[in-house]
């Protein structure tokens, strides 16, 4: 069990004890970082201003190397399989655009796939003559494993799996789906953007070929950070779509040599302060214990899934059998953006997920937008109840 008082003492957003705490329910968007993350970033920016960015980075070389080790510990991967980038989408694309495709090849995407992934798949299909097909969902809303088994053949080059989607509490059965994909030799690229930092991840147990994640969401790192995991044997044989002098070495007038490990998916330039901050965020999570954090998130989301439906006019929209920390809902006769804005006026932060972010899933359920409440483990039950009361006061049936 986590000590919430201590957790919250680490969060600058709660420093002002004189006013009511902000109710922060957007860790699926951009979470509240612990103090160590903010201090790490700001201290490094100051140091760069004192002695220049190159010397400042040189002073922190060991800590920069340690970022990949920390991420490796978090997802149970060797650090040689980790490539750092500036977002989950960048990492996803770095891998995806490097997969050889030709006419007639098939790319399978998940029903809850994220728009950026689907758009990239469609672009490559246009360029190569490959085709994009959606994996159907089963009655619960998760990936239909039987349908997937019937869909795959040796023309399937990639299965794009979504661990936890952006627009609700679904968690997909990744290990089972991966087993099916591997039977026909297809690669599996897992979008773990909404699960890393929230749900304990073990890439060896999931057996995926690659995984992408972001720093700013459940990991509570800085914006502009993300990472890619690539199975080390694969990283050593894949040719990235784009190279620079860090991902490869210029060895002769007509020659270059790729950097041996997943580093070949990185470019040289990066935000050093943000990267150090990401390392601090991952170490902070490892110290708390990923299983403890998950228990805290699950308890908070579970509390909302119990109390929100008791509010007249509120419908919780989560699907699937296993649930993440994202609680999605709608309020009768109050548009989701209005719910968000009226809650913001009370210092309650939620976001809206629109149809275009998860087009296939939202269209199949006839939804245009949902409100998304994503409480991290540091949110108190009292704050959750303040949020539910505020939602109750919004619905048209409410007479105050
Ligand atoms: C937020 C999100 C992304 C994109 O992450 P970025 O860091 O903004 O690139 C990808 N997939 C899912 C499921 C997301 O929720």
């Amino acid at each position: 069990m986590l000590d919430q008082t201590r957790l919250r003492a680490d969060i600058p957003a709660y420093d002002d004890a004189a006013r009511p705490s902000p109710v922060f329910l957007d860790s699926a968007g951009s979470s509240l970082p612990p103090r160590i993350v903010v201090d790490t970033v700001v201290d490094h920016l100051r140091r760069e201003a004192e002695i220049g960015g190159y010397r400042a980075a040189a002073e922190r070389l060991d800590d920069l190397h340690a970022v990949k080790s920390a991420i490796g510990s978090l997802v149970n991967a060797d650090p040689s399989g980790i490539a750092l980038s500036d977002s989950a989408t960048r990492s996803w694309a770095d891998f995806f655009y490097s997969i050889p495709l030709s006419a007639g090849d098939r790319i399978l995407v998940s029903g809850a796939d994220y728009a950026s992934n689907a758009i990239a798949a469609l672009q490559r299909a246009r360029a190569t003559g490959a085709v994009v097909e959606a994996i159907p969902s089963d009655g619960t809303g998760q990936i239909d494993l039987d349908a997937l088994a019937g869909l795959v053949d040796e023309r399937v080059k990639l299965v794009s799996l979504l661990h936890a989607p952006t627009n609700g509490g679904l968690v997909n059965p990744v290990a089972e789906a991966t087993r099916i994909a591997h039977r026909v030799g297809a690669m599996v690229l897992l979008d773990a953007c909404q699960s890393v930092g929230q749900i304990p991840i073990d890439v060896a147990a999931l057996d995926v070929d690659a995984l992408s994640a972001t720093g700013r969401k459940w990991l509570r790192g800085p914006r502009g950070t993300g990472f890619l995991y690539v199975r080390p044997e694969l990283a050593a044989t894949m040719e990235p779509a784009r190279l620079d002098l860090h991902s490869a070495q210029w060895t002769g007038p007509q020659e270059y040599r790729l950097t041996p490990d997943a580093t070949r998916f990185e470019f040289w330039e990066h935000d050093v302060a943000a990267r150090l901050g990401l390392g601090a965020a991952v170490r902070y999570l490892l110290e708390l214990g990923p299983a403890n954090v998950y228990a805290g998130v699950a308890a908070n989301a579970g509390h909302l899934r119990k109390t929100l439906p008791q509010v007249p006019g509120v419908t919780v929209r989560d699907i699937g059998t296993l649930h993440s920390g994202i609680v999605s809902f709608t309020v009768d006769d109050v548009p989701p953006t209005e719910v968000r804005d009226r809650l913001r006026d009370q210092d309650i932060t939620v976001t809206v997920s629109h149809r275009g972010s998860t087009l296939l899933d939202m269209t199949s359920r006839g939804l245009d937008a949902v409100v998304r409440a994503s409480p991290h483990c540091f949110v108190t039950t009292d704050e959750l109840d303040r949020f539910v009361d505020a939602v109750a006061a919004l619905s048209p049936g409410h007479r105050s």
Side-chain angles (χ1 to χ4, degrees), residues 87-90 114 117 162 164-166 191 193-194 214 216-217:
S87 77
T89 303
R90 176 83 59 193
Y114 189 67
N117 306 348
L162 221 289
T166 205
D191 179 335
C193 197
Q194 290 294 1
T214 198
R216 71 176 186 278
K217 296 180 180 175

Side-chain angles (χ1 to χ4, degrees), residues 36-112:
I36 183 71
V37 170
V38 184
D39 289 349
T40 299
V41 174
V42 173
D43 289 351
H44 192 75
L45 288 177
R46 287 197 200 289
R47 192 62 181 148
E48 286 183 339
E50 283 165 8
I51 60 168
Y54 284 12
R55 271 182 62 196
E59 287 180 349
R60 301 298 301 273
L61 215 53
D62 289 347
D63 296 321
L64 282 165
H65 286 310
V67 177
K68 287 192 192 179
S69 320
I71 293 172
S73 304
L74 182 66
V75 301
N76 189 28
D78 191 273
S80 66
I82 305 295
L84 301 169
S85 82
D86 56 13
S87 77
T89 303
R90 176 83 59 193
S91 293
W92 196 94
D94 285 343
F95 185 83
F96 175 72
Y97 281 88
S98 307
I99 300 170
L101 287 176
S102 46
D105 285 346
R106 302 167 68 206
I107 305 166
L108 302 189
V109 300
S110 305

Side-chain angles (χ1 to χ4, degrees), residues 327-340:
V327 181
S328 59
F329 66 97
T330 52
V331 182
D332 286 353
D333 304 319
V334 190
T337 49
E338 189 183 326
V339 174
R340 176 198 61 202

